[in-house]
Amino acid sequence: KEAENPYNSLPKLNLFTYQMSEIVKEELEKGIEIQGETEEYAFDLNEFFATNENKKFIHEAEVKKFLHALCTQEKYPFSTPELRQELCHTMWYLDRIASAEALAKLLKDDEVFGEYEVVLAVGNGRQDDDEQVTKNYDRVKKAIAENEKTITLTVGQLTVGVTISEWSGVLMLCNMKSPSAYMQAAFRAQN
């Protein structure tokens, strides 16, 4: 007899990846020069969402293409009104505060994402600042209560030991070194 699955009662969790090759096609074709040799371009999420000294994305045109792809390309999470309805409240995880701030500006100006209330839940970027986590938690819950659609941008806060049951999706927009940190953040959508 098969053992009963203890996770059966939990909501279904789907993990998806997005293909960036069309968005960074020009970079792929150019490659990258290392010590005078042209090597294959290696995509890096942290580099993709890096900002300059003016707090704008270095690759702003490509980030805009990515946002457009999220809303228009088949099988991307926000590509249809039905999917957008399923993803009314989401958390997007970046690796630096400047990137979250730059993304907040682009989202507010975007044709589709401009309909979402964007909440910057970054604080000082530390996960263990309990006072800041509480403030961010309260701000997110208030935004959700007052808005039909929200996007929470975080740099690690609200990713461990916090449940915001309205979140139905998490977008990982940074490289993660720790598998457990990745899974902790991903499971925010299952709670």
Side-chain angles (χ1 to χ4, degrees):
K1 182 180 172 184
E2 279 188 48
E4 192 160 320
N5 182 350
Y7 304 105
N8 237 7
S9 64
L10 293 174
K12 185 178 179 183
L13 177 66
N14 295 309
L15 297 174
F16 298 96
T17 59
Y18 30 87
Q19 187 171 349
M20 300 297 288
S21 58
E22 282 302 309
I23 295 165
V24 294
K25 189 175 187 173
E26 196 175 291
E27 296 294 325
L28 288 171
E29 290 171 355
K30 275 195 304 192
I32 188 166
E33 191 172 311
I34 300 173
Q35 297 179 346
E37 297 285 323
T38 301
E39 301 289 336
E40 237 180 77
Y41 175 78
F43 182 78
D44 181 303
L45 276 168
N46 293 347
E47 173 59 28
F48 185 74
F49 289 102
T51 57
N52 60 24
E53 60 279 349
N54 297 327
K55 294 189 177 185
K56 293 188 104 183
F57 286 118
I58 294 168
H59 308 286
E60 187 167 300
E62 289 80 7
V63 172
K64 286 180 178 180
K65 283 184 198 175
F66 173 69
L67 293 176
H68 182 72
L70 286 177
C71 301
T72 59
Q73 289 188 13
E74 185 182 0
K75 297 183 181 180
Y76 273 62
F78 296 90
S79 60
T80 67
E82 295 79 22
L83 288 173
R84 290 180 203 140
Q85 191 59 40
E86 286 183 31
L87 296 169
C88 288
H89 305 289
T90 57
M91 178 186 79
W92 297 21
Y93 194 134
L94 293 117
D95 78 319
R96 16 177 133 69
I97 294 171
S99 298
E101 291 169 344
L103 187 56
K105 289 176 187 166
L106 288 187
L107 290 170
K108 287 177 183 176
D109 293 337
D110 186 84
E111 185 178 325
V112 172
F113 294 116
E115 298 174 5
Y116 291 73
E117 178 68 20
V118 177
V119 181
L120 276 168
V122 294
N124 57 13
R126 289 180 41 207
Q127 291 180 10
D128 60 353
D129 184 342
D130 291 339
E131 186 178 329
Q132 190 63 50
V133 169
T134 300
K135 285 180 188 176
N136 283 327
Y137 177 86
D138 292 343
R139 288 178 49 248
V140 170
K141 291 299 276 186
K142 182 177 188 298
I144 289 170
E146 295 175 357
N147 297 276
E148 203 173 302
K149 298 176 180 179
T150 65
I151 294 172
T152 301
L153 301 178
T154 186
V155 181
Q157 289 208 348
L158 307 178
T159 60
V160 177
V162 173
T163 298
I164 297 185
S165 60
E166 295 86 354
W167 281 342
S168 56
V170 174
L171 264 67
M172 306 298 281
L173 303 177
C174 62
N175 301 334
M176 302 287 290
K177 290 181 181 155
S178 162
S180 64
Y182 178 86
M183 293 310 290
Q184 278 290 329
F187 275 102
R188 296 307 96 206
Q190 189 180 38
N191 290 331

